[in-house]
């Protein structure tokens, strides 16, 4: 996968923490969210549809976060105010994350990167990628999980903009929802005791 040089984007590198999840456990989790080959195919199609709309998608998502003080707080500096450098750095990786969601191979490298992303939401690594000392030491798990809804609900209009049939749009949207649920589940792993995950 050819990706641009984005500070802090480390998918497939030795800088990524290894997920404690075994390949067998990962396979069972994919089964649990009903992620199959058809979904992967529709995610590839979604990637084509979204590729030239990513900045517009990010505008919607950043508008949502920015309009909720309890969410924008997580992008604050040490003074508790939104840090524009932090927001900008995360935005570049967020755009790549959209591409990765659609292009994922769901292999060990991808699994490990989900664990790394999860760590970056906790006090273990939050802000370190961008060298930011944030007032928010971690992102509360409840908001990480709740964010499944806006990230999924707001993508559908973008999937419908390229003239695909209603059935194709629905299939892309369903595949997106499965992938997002899988990813947020994996991101939650560093938050909980290994015996409970």
């Amino acid at each position: 996968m050819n990706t641009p040089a984005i500070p802090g984007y480390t998918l497939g590198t030795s800088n990524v923490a290894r997920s404690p999840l075994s390949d067998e456990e990962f396979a069972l989790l994919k089964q649990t969210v009903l992620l199959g080959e058809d979904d992967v195919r529709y995610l590839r199609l979604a990637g084509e549809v979204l590729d030239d709309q990513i900045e517009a998608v990010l505008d919607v998502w950043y508008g949502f976060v920015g309009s909720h003080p309890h969410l924008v707080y997580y992008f604050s500096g040490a003074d508790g105010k939104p840090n524009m450098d932090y927001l900008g750095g995360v935005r570049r990786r967020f755009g790549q994350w959209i591409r990765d969601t659609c292009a994922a191979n769901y292999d060990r490298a991808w699994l490990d990167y989900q664990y790394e992303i999860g760590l970056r939401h906790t006090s273990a690594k939050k802000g370190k990628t961008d060298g930011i000392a944030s007032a928010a030491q971690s992102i509360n798990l409840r908001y990480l999980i709740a964010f499944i809804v806006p990230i999924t609900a707001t993508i559908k209009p973008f999937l419908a903009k390229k003239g695909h049939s209603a059935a194709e749009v629905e299939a892309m949207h369903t595949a997106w929802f499965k992938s997002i649920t899988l990813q947020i589940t994996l991101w939650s792993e560093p938050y909980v005791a290994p015996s409970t995950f």
Side-chain angles (χ1 to χ4, degrees):
M1 183 184 320
N2 293 329
T3 54
I6 299 171
Y9 178 74
T10 56
L11 174 63
T13 72
S14 60
N15 296 327
V16 172
R18 183 171 173 86
S19 170
L21 213 63
S22 71
D23 292 341
E24 294 76 18
E25 290 167 326
F26 182 38
L28 291 174
L29 192 53
K30 287 186 281 188
Q31 289 176 33
T32 303
V33 298
L34 305 175
L35 184 73
E37 289 305 313
D38 280 348
D39 297 302
V40 172
R41 185 167 54 85
Y42 278 110
L43 283 167
R44 299 295 186 267
L45 180 59
E48 295 172 16
V49 169
L50 295 172
D51 190 55
D52 65 352
Q53 301 185 80
I54 287 176
E55 287 303 315
V57 172
L58 292 173
D59 286 345
V60 169
W61 291 351
Y62 268 56
F64 174 77
V65 170
S67 67
H68 292 85
H70 70 285
L71 297 178
V72 79
Y73 167 74
Y74 293 107
F75 296 94
S76 65
D79 60 0
K81 296 177 183 174
N83 183 298
M84 300 314 290
D85 291 335
Y86 193 14
L87 283 160
V90 171
R91 184 180 176 114
R92 287 187 289 280
R93 290 188 298 277
F94 216 175
Q96 185 59 45
W97 174 79
I98 295 171
R99 293 181 180 93
D100 289 347
T101 294
C102 297
N105 292 319
Y106 300 97
D107 56 9
R108 170 52 64 175
W110 183 87
L111 173 62
D112 290 345
Y113 198 53
Q114 302 319 299
Y115 185 64
E116 176 72 21
I117 291 171
L119 286 169
R120 291 180 186 186
H121 287 80
T122 70
S123 58
K125 290 194 173 185
K126 186 174 180 310
K128 291 180 173 58
T129 301
D130 297 291
I132 300 294
S134 177
Q137 297 299 304
S138 66
I139 296 177
N140 290 98
L141 181 58
R142 63 183 176 266
Y143 296 127
L144 196 66
I145 294 168
F147 217 63
I148 292 171
V149 175
I151 291 295
T152 301
T154 57
I155 204 73
K156 194 168 190 178
F158 293 99
L159 295 172
K161 284 189 175 183
K162 297 293 177 78
H164 293 86
S165 70
E168 288 173 314
V169 171
E170 189 60 35
M172 287 187 283
H173 191 239
T174 298
W176 176 270
F177 175 52
K178 292 176 183 181
S179 181
I180 300 311
T181 302
L182 176 62
Q183 289 179 73
I184 301 296
T185 301
L186 293 169
W187 295 0
S188 69
E189 185 172 10
Y191 284 85
V192 299
S195 62
T196 62
F197 187 76

